[in-house]
Amino acid sequence: MKALSTGLVAATLALTGAAQAQDVIKVGVIAPMTGPQAASGQQIMAGAKLYQQLNGTKVGNKTIELIFKDDTGVPDVTRRLAQELIVNDKVAVISGFGLTPLALAVGPVITQAKVPAVIMVAGTSMIVGTSPYFVRVSFTLPQNTAPVAQWAVENGVKSAVSLFSDYGPGLDAAAAFKKRLEAGGGKVMQELKAPLADPDFAPFLQRAKDAKPDALFLFVPAPTAGALMKQVVDRGIPQSGIKVIGPGDVTDDDQLNGMGDGVLGMVTSYNYSAAHDSPENKKFVEEFKKANNGRRPNVIGVGGYDGIHAIYKAIEKNGGNTDGTKLIEAFKGLSWVSPRGPVSIDPETRDIVQNVYVRKVEKKDGELYNVEFKTYENQKDPK
Ligand code: PHB
């Protein structure tokens, strides 16, 4: 009798387990949570968790379970974690990718496994084209850079020096800037490339200052912006009459207050500002701060939040079917109102279409903010 009841209990448990497994859809989130890009992983995780906190874990009758993994910012680790999540955990989707090389590392894995990957940060234009299973909710550097280049043309910038991290997004940003500036009659005098790992910006900034350009165009990945801008300010470059500009990565909302008043007046263009004036963003910023000891969300936090939103909506559109080839189709053409403004996924390219705003650093209630003053609507990657 005892043996029988134990057997029954075991069978019941096994059944419950199987039923549960079918009701749970697992989503991998891979990002640098430690190392020099740790701020990226922290923002992604905070944004993704906040989405579930505010919207619940259910899509129809399925429970969405997020599995977070720290790739420490090393591409080989990203690739291994992607493989483990797909093979062992049987995730329906992977997401995250705090740097371009980390996203590129998973391309062959997702193509072979036919599992969609949602890019929440990486911004080099060509990434999404390297696998039919990539979809991007972040931005591209040419998309975010073109408006500030246009602003430079319209504000009398005839000569510029570009200083940027020497990898995909830096090269993309510098090329987009040069194209627009030179089409407007200006000239890029020098292009200075700083290494991505452990950069010493001092010699580059000295050369840039000595060249006396009208503008200094800057790009580094957002988590590196504080280190760069501190040196820009310490050298008095904004005060020397050189307009310091770039895509908004360099006035990253997460670190802006630490850069000091030397960045007041700095103009950048970007897809997200914590100061974006909309009811959706007010709620997002308030709830994000509440859940993260007052920390301000940045473009990466909103990428984590929107990435999970897109995954929910794609699963919902497919009625809970998580076949990878069907799921990637469901991302195409999604549109929603993000804290950054209206966005959609281009069905042709699987890349994000969104507003890009021109902003100026201003002080409000004792804090520095990127205050938007001009909007370029529904921008695609300009390719
Ligand atoms: C990238 O590596 O693609 C990247 C990372 C952070 C940024 C922008 C681009 O802020």
Side-chain angles (χ1 to χ4, degrees):
M1 184 65 200
K2 192 156 189 295
L4 183 65
S5 69
T6 313
L8 268 175
V9 170
T12 317
L13 278 177
L15 270 175
T16 320
Q20 265 169 4
Q22 280 174 2
D23 288 343
V24 172
I25 296 176
K26 293 182 184 172
V27 172
V29 186
I30 314 172
M33 318 261 179
T34 53
Q37 300 293 319
S40 182
Q42 292 157 5
Q43 284 276 346
I44 289 180
M45 182 146 73
K49 284 188 170 169
L50 182 63
Y51 188 81
Q52 288 211 308
Q53 185 194 313
L54 298 181
N55 298 281
T57 55
K58 288 277 194 189
V59 175
N61 59 1
K62 307 279 185 185
T63 301
I64 311 298
E65 182 191 332
L66 304 184
I67 305 176
F68 293 96
K69 297 282 178 186
D70 176 13
D71 65 10
T72 71
V74 176
D76 283 345
V77 180
T78 320
R79 186 186 304 110
R80 179 174 55 74
L81 291 172
Q83 270 158 351
E84 287 173 7
L85 284 165
I86 291 169
V87 175
N88 302 342
D89 296 295
K90 312 238 178 315
V91 296
V93 186
I94 57 172
S95 62
F97 318 115
L99 289 172
T100 288
L102 310 177
L104 288 174
V106 305
V109 176
I110 59 168
T111 305
Q112 201 197 1
K114 303 192 191 327
V115 169
V118 178
I119 300 169
M120 293 167 165
V121 189
T124 304
S125 196
M126 47 72 75
I127 300 171
V128 178
T130 65
S131 169
Y133 290 89
F134 271 132
V135 55
R136 173 154 46 199
V137 299
S138 51
F139 51 81
T140 79
L141 269 300
Q143 180 183 47
N144 271 343
T145 298
V148 78
Q150 189 58 33
W151 179 88
V153 168
E154 288 165 10
N155 285 273
V157 172
K158 293 285 175 213
S159 61
V161 171
S162 297
L163 165 57
F164 51 93
S165 299
D166 187 11
Y167 76 124
L171 299 167
D172 267 8
F177 176 65
K178 184 176 160 74
K179 190 170 160 193
R180 296 281 163 138
L181 185 72
E182 299 196 346
K187 182 94 194 117
V188 174
M189 306 155 70
Q190 290 182 46
E191 293 193 326
L192 306 174
K193 300 176 189 169
L196 175 62
D198 297 324
D200 174 10
F201 297 112
F204 297 112
L205 290 173
Q206 194 55 50
R207 278 177 65 187
K209 197 176 177 191
D210 291 346
K212 295 193 170 41
D214 294 334
L216 172 60
F217 173 84
L218 298 172
F219 168 79
V220 291
T224 311
L228 170 66
M229 291 314 298
K230 191 179 172 329
Q231 294 201 32
V232 169
V233 169
D234 283 352
R235 280 170 189 271
I237 296 181
Q239 286 69 36
S240 72
I242 298 172
K243 291 183 169 74
V244 182
I245 57 175
D249 309 83
V250 292
T251 53
D252 174 31
D253 263 309
D254 201 5
Q255 300 163 74
L256 187 58
N257 275 316
M259 295 178 191
D261 288 356
V263 296
L264 275 169
M266 192 172 152
V267 173
T268 54
S269 55
Y270 218 35
N271 59 325
Y272 178 67
S273 166
H276 179 67
D277 190 8
S278 73
E280 292 80 12
N281 190 49
K282 283 215 169 67
K283 178 164 179 3
F284 173 69
V285 172
E286 195 182 300
E287 297 286 353
F288 190 102
K289 284 184 166 172
K290 212 190 288 172
N292 296 281
N293 294 317
R295 187 170 182 172
R296 189 191 287 189
N298 68 359
V299 70
I300 301 175
V302 90
Y305 184 85
D306 281 342
I308 301 302
H309 176 81
I311 291 167
Y312 272 44
K313 291 295 152 187
I315 293 172
E316 184 181 281
K317 198 166 151 185
N318 274 6
N321 185 333
T322 53
D323 171 78
T325 305
K326 294 202 177 83
L327 197 53
I328 192 69
E329 286 304 312
F331 283 100
K332 298 178 184 176
L334 285 180
S335 69
W336 68 97
V337 180
S338 155
R340 65 185 104 166
V343 302
S344 65
I345 303 296
D346 185 334
E348 306 282 306
T349 62
R350 289 165 276 113
D351 228 326
I352 188 141
V353 182
Q354 59 193 334
N355 294 350
V356 180
Y357 309 89
V358 190
R359 320 93 53 85
K360 184 184 271 180
V361 179
E362 289 177 13
K363 204 170 231 180
K364 286 200 317 190
D365 306 326
E367 289 192 43
L368 298 178
Y369 282 99
N370 292 293
V371 178
E372 297 166 350
F373 63 87
K374 183 168 181 173
T375 305
Y376 288 81
E377 287 184 352
N378 297 324
Q379 299 295 293
K380 293 188 178 190
D381 177 42
K383 292 265 184 282

